[in-house]
Amino acid sequence: MTDKFRALRVSKTDQGPKSEFVTLTEADLMDGDVTVAVEYSTVNYKDGLALTGRAPIIRSWPLIPGIDFSGKVEKSDHKEFKPGDRVVLNGFGVGEGHNGGYAQKARVKGDWLVKLPDAISNEQAMAIGTAGYTAMLCVLALEKNGVTPDKGDVLVTGAAGGVGSVAIALLSKLGHRVIASTGRAAEADYLKGLGAAEIIDRNELSAPGKPLGKERWAGAVDAVGSHTLANVLAMTKYGGTVAACGLAQGLDLPASVAPFILRGITLCGIDSVMAPKSVRIEAYKRLAADLDMKKLAAMSVRAKLDDVPHLANDIVAGKVRGRVIVDVNA
């Protein structure tokens, strides 16, 4: 066990964020009661925004980005964890205001960690990542609001992205007929391989639309926001539910109250960053049971820490399909 470790650190400059690979020691880590030997991280849309400076994600400079990591506990002063425990972290401001997963070590609060189920390896945990864990939170929200396979189709927007890919795999295994909305027509076979029954072009949803449209789906998982989410709401069946978790098109919601007061639909906001531990444990328990690990492998690619800066640009540009597993020790 060595005190020195490698990390990708971002500094603030007049020209924007500057990324560099550095060698650090444990003295460079932030406060926390658990030190983790990080094995894997991943690249989420939020990580791309942080590294490229396209949005003010980073709040403390300089910082090690990476909102996710998995690994083994090295040291612990927290009652729930002991050395050797396999753990995963998603969110809680890590990679935003607290050093994150793009390093070989991390020191965090034990309350932010979740022990991994036996059925999910450390590598698979980062194939899942915040995107997949968020997808599971969306599915749980649909279930809790009565969206069952017999009620009708479920739409997934941003379907070829991380949230969308995992959501399709989960929903199809649970018996739902899934409609996938994507702007990447070339990904149709990929999406059908994950379980999508129908592919629609995102242009059907991305322009300003009517307050109410034809009822097309009983539920939806939306990672896009803006006009897309407004149109998704307008076309949700009576009594249906939409889980909203992203802003790829925009933060705005140019919608009307019509779907809510005329069709009684529910809009569920999904927050993965500060979700309480009980919710996280439930999500990982369900991921272990309901996510087809072969489909997870099919949607995942491997990368090294050195690859993260260019992957950050690619994910913001919509060029990353599925999930990226970053081996921080490779």
Side-chain angles (χ1 to χ4, degrees), residues 173-229:
K173 186 175 179 183
L174 291 166
H176 293 275
R177 184 181 186 276
V178 181
I179 301 173
S181 167
T182 182
R184 297 185 250 176
E187 303 292 8
D189 288 344
Y190 164 76
L191 296 171
K192 287 178 180 176
L194 294 179
E198 183 181 343
I199 315 293
I200 62 173
D201 192 295
R202 71 178 175 204
N203 290 333
E204 289 189 37
L205 301 170
S206 59
K210 298 176 181 178
L212 275 182
K214 181 182 177 183
E215 296 180 51
R216 294 181 65 180
W217 34 76
V221 173
D222 177 65
V224 179
S226 191
H227 290 291
T228 297
L229 178 53

Side-chain angles (χ1 to χ4, degrees), residues 95 132 176 185 208 308 319:
H176 293 275
V308 168
K319 296 178 181 176

Side-chain angles (χ1 to χ4, degrees), residues 237-248:
K237 291 183 176 183
Y238 190 94
T241 297
V242 176
C245 65
L247 46 71

Side-chain angles (χ1 to χ4, degrees), residues 127-128 130-136 138-139 155-173 178-182 184 187-196 221-223 245 287 290-292 294-301 315 320-324:
I128 294 167
T130 283
Y133 147 67
T134 301
M136 188 72 248
C138 291
V139 172
L155 173 75
V156 175
T157 67
V163 173
S165 294
V166 178
I168 292 167
L170 286 167
L171 288 162
S172 64
K173 186 175 179 183
V178 181
I179 301 173
S181 167
T182 182
R184 297 185 250 176
E187 303 292 8
D189 288 344
Y190 164 76
L191 296 171
K192 287 178 180 176
L194 294 179
V221 173
D222 177 65
C245 65
L287 284 161
D290 295 327
L291 181 57
D292 185 328
K294 289 181 180 178
K295 288 184 178 178
L296 183 67
M299 71 177 79
S300 304
V301 295
I315 199 165
V320 172
R321 179 177 86 178
R323 304 291 300 127
V324 178

Side-chain angles (χ1 to χ4, degrees), residues 210-280:
K210 298 176 181 178
L212 275 182
K214 181 182 177 183
E215 296 180 51
R216 294 181 65 180
W217 34 76
V221 173
D222 177 65
V224 179
S226 191
H227 290 291
T228 297
L229 178 53
N231 287 319
V232 171
L233 294 167
M235 291 185 244
T236 298
K237 291 183 176 183
Y238 190 94
T241 297
V242 176
C245 65
L247 46 71
Q249 187 179 6
L251 273 169
D252 59 324
L253 180 54
S256 82
V257 298
F260 305 103
I261 63 174
L262 297 178
R263 290 188 181 155
I265 70 163
T266 299
L267 175 59
C268 295
I270 304 300
D271 166 53
S272 62
V273 178
M274 301 305 293
K277 180 170 277 195
S278 59
V279 173
R280 293 165 184 266

